[in-house]
Amino acid sequence: MARQPQMQAVQPKTVYIKSDIVLFRDVERFWLGKSGHTFIGRVERSWRHVDTGKVLYDLTELGSLSYRAGIDPDYMRPLPATDAMHDIDTAPLSEPDTGAMTPAAVAWLRQHLGRDSSALPARP
C-alpha cells in the first residue's frame, strides 16, 4: 500500500525588531520536562550566526530582567499589542456593573476617571 505524505504545519517566518514583545520557549528545558521553560521577553537585538548564517536574537526576560543571548526564532512567537489590549478595547463601557469588565478595563477606567470624574475620556 502506498503511503500518503504527511503534511506538517509550517510556522511563517517572522522578523522581529528591537523592543518587540515575544513569547519564548527554551526547547531543551521543555523537552526535559523542566519548569521555567517558557517566558515573555523583549527583543534587544538580532544578529547572524557566523557558522550557520541563521538569524538569532538576544532577549531580556521580562520576569527577571535577565539577558538571554542567541535565541532561535523558531521558538519565539510575537505577542501583538492588539491581543494585550483586547480586553480594554472591547470592555462594555455602557454597563454600570464593573463586574462585567475585566480587571484591565476597570484599571484603565479608574485611571482616566480619576483625572475628571464627571466624564469618560473623549474618543479620538
Side-chain angles (χ1 to χ4, degrees):
M1 177 189 270
R3 206 167 166 192
Q4 296 267 339
Q6 298 218 354
M7 300 297 288
Q8 289 186 347
V10 175
Q11 180 71 21
K13 294 292 180 192
T14 303
V15 175
Y16 301 97
I17 60 172
K18 184 175 175 62
S19 296
D20 278 351
I21 303 296
V22 298
L23 184 71
F24 166 71
R25 175 162 287 157
D26 182 324
V27 70
E28 290 178 19
R29 293 187 69 81
F30 175 76
W31 286 121
L32 292 173
K34 295 181 178 180
S35 63
H37 53 69
T38 304
F39 68 87
I40 307 297
R42 181 180 55 241
V43 174
E44 299 300 334
R45 73 179 189 119
S46 63
W47 50 280
R48 191 169 299 277
H49 191 279
V50 114
D51 295 328
T52 66
K54 185 168 187 161
V55 173
L56 301 174
Y57 293 88
D58 292 351
L59 306 177
T60 296
E61 184 177 345
L62 296 180
S64 64
L65 296 180
S66 59
Y67 194 78
R68 306 280 298 253
I71 304 296
D72 186 331
D74 290 344
Y75 300 100
M76 291 169 45
R77 297 293 180 265
L79 293 176
T82 53
D83 291 350
M85 302 307 288
H86 178 76
D87 59 340
I88 292 174
D89 295 339
T90 60
L93 299 178
S94 61
E95 292 190 27
D97 176 22
T98 58
M101 297 182 206
T102 65
V106 172
W108 182 86
L109 281 173
R110 284 187 179 142
Q111 176 186 2
H112 287 284
L113 292 177
R115 294 181 194 150
D116 177 11
S117 61
S118 63
L120 287 172
R123 290 193 144 220

